[in-house]
Amino acid sequence: MAVERTLSIVKPDGVRTNVIGEVFKRFESAGLQIVAARMTSLTKAQAQAFYAVHRERPFFDSLTTFMSSGPIVASVLEGEDAINRNRELMGATNPAEAAPGTIRKEYASSVEQNIVHGSDAPETAREEIGFFFSHADLVQGVRT
């Protein structure tokens, strides 16, 4: 398997309910390394830009309102098959359909307020990482 990077976001509901450390612990326990992280807040316009791919979807306005409702923690995860491994850790978008033991099953309250975001493909990961981080922000050589 190739080592890859992916973006992860602990959404405003995860920050509010104080599960940032638990989410990060799950990444690290699964062998993913955090090579960049920062807490920030998105304006509505920034949230709209980040989720522009969903602009025509009926949930776009409520999603971007939610994502700009409080601080988030954006991070870059690195590891073998990082994108798929992160998505498995997160669980299904709808927490009612998520597998037991996944982040969303244990902590999410709804389809929209589902604690975490993760990139879904290598191209998306590159774009999403670039939205939050410059190349200089990414730590090199973390693995020992």
Side-chain angles (χ1 to χ4, degrees), residues 11-141:
K11 294 179 178 183
D13 54 333
V15 174
R16 264 192 300 278
T17 57
N18 203 31
V19 297
I20 299 164
E22 180 59 35
V23 171
F24 276 23
K25 179 181 175 184
R26 287 170 186 244
F27 298 153
E28 292 178 330
S29 294
L32 297 171
Q33 296 206 333
I34 301 164
V35 298
R38 80 196 261 187
M39 182 177 280
T40 190
S41 294
L42 296 174
T43 65
K44 177 83 175 211
Q46 288 170 322
Q48 289 171 334
F50 183 77
Y51 285 105
V53 66
H54 298 302
R55 186 169 302 281
E56 301 303 319
R57 307 291 286 273
F59 58 82
F60 180 73
D61 186 60
S62 61
L63 172 62
T64 56
T65 297
F66 166 64
M67 288 300 292
S68 59
S69 70
I72 63 166
V73 177
S75 62
V76 179
L77 308 177
E78 181 180 86
E80 291 184 11
D81 198 29
I83 295 167
N84 288 327
R85 289 172 64 197
N86 180 44
R87 295 188 70 74
E88 288 173 7
L89 292 168
M90 290 189 308
T93 303
N94 183 346
E97 298 171 1
T102 61
I103 294 167
R104 288 177 173 151
K105 186 66 167 186
E106 293 190 17
Y107 300 108
S109 61
S110 69
V111 172
E112 191 169 281
Q113 295 190 22
N114 60 16
I115 302 290
V116 287
H117 166 91
S119 304
D120 62 1
E123 309 77 36
T124 310
R126 280 189 294 280
E127 290 174 21
E128 291 182 345
I129 290 168
F131 189 90
F132 289 99
F133 299 97
S134 73
H135 183 71
D137 293 325
L138 304 174
V139 175
Q140 303 296 319

